């Protein structure tokens, strides 16, 4: 009842309203749901503030191979050089289904893994549409973050998909969605 379904809110007001509507007893995630003009769009977006979830980025090495063999996948992203890929191929059945196999499309197969590791740890994330629908769902932060930080993260997301967005809805974990107004 607190959300006017016919109204679109400016970015700051939408973030404040979503934070207020979050009724969970835990710190919820705030997500932006974008309807875009076409499917198959993907962009690498660097958010100015953390989303509240830290990512463990590991560069493929002999020690990494030993950990994978032992079944210890204690990282979120695996980066490799093209020269090291031949050693990783025997673990493709383990890494592939989990989305950890390095590849050029996701930017995890690179000639400069140290620099790429810094970029990914700084908050650079790959955001893409759903497979068969022109929809994007992206986490922009947590409900306990400052309103201006969440607004800046949302603005960075909107800027990276500028000209391709039809509508934006903002929602927290288990809360109603709020329509967002943006510059087209």
């Amino acid at each position: 009842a607190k959300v006017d379904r016919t109204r679109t809110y400016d970015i700051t007001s939408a973030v404040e309203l979503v934070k207020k509507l979050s009724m969970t007893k835990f710190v919820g995630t705030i997500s932006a749901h974008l309807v875009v003009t076409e499917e198959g769009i993907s962009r690498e977006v660097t958010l100015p503030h953390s989303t509240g979830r830290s990512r463990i980025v590991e560069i493929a090495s002999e020690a990494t191979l030993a950990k994978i063999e032992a079944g210890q996948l204690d990282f979120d992203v695996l980066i490799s050089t093209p020269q090291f890929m031949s050693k990783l191929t025997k673990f493709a059945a383990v890494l592939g289904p989990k989305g950890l196999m390095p590849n050029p499309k996701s930017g995890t197969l690179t000639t400069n893994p140290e620099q790429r590791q810094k970029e990914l740890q700084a908050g650079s994330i790959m955001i893409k549409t759903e497979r068969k629908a022109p929809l994007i769902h992206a986490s922009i932060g947590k409900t306990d973050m400052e309103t201006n930080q969440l607004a800046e993260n949302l603005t960075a997301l909107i800027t990276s998909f500028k000209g391709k967005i039809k509508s934006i809805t903002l929602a927290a974990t288990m809360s109603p969605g709020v329509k967002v107004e943006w510059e087209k």
Side-chain angles (χ1 to χ4, degrees), residues 94-113:
V94 175
L95 297 173
K98 295 185 185 321
L100 296 173
M101 191 69 176
N103 68 58
K105 275 188 178 178
S106 64
T108 53
L109 185 63
T110 178
T111 55
N112 192 347

Side-chain angles (χ1 to χ4, degrees), residues 5-41:
R5 298 264 183 219
T6 60
R7 182 176 164 212
T8 57
Y9 297 84
D10 66 277
I11 292 173
T12 307
S13 299
V15 169
E16 286 175 355
L17 184 58
V18 166
K19 286 175 66 172
K20 216 181 297 177
L21 291 172
S22 178
M23 301 295 177
T24 58
K25 293 182 181 183
F26 55 89
V27 178
T29 301
I30 297 180
S31 301
H33 306 279
L34 287 69
V35 177
V36 292
T37 55
E38 58 192 83
E39 53 189 72
I41 301 172

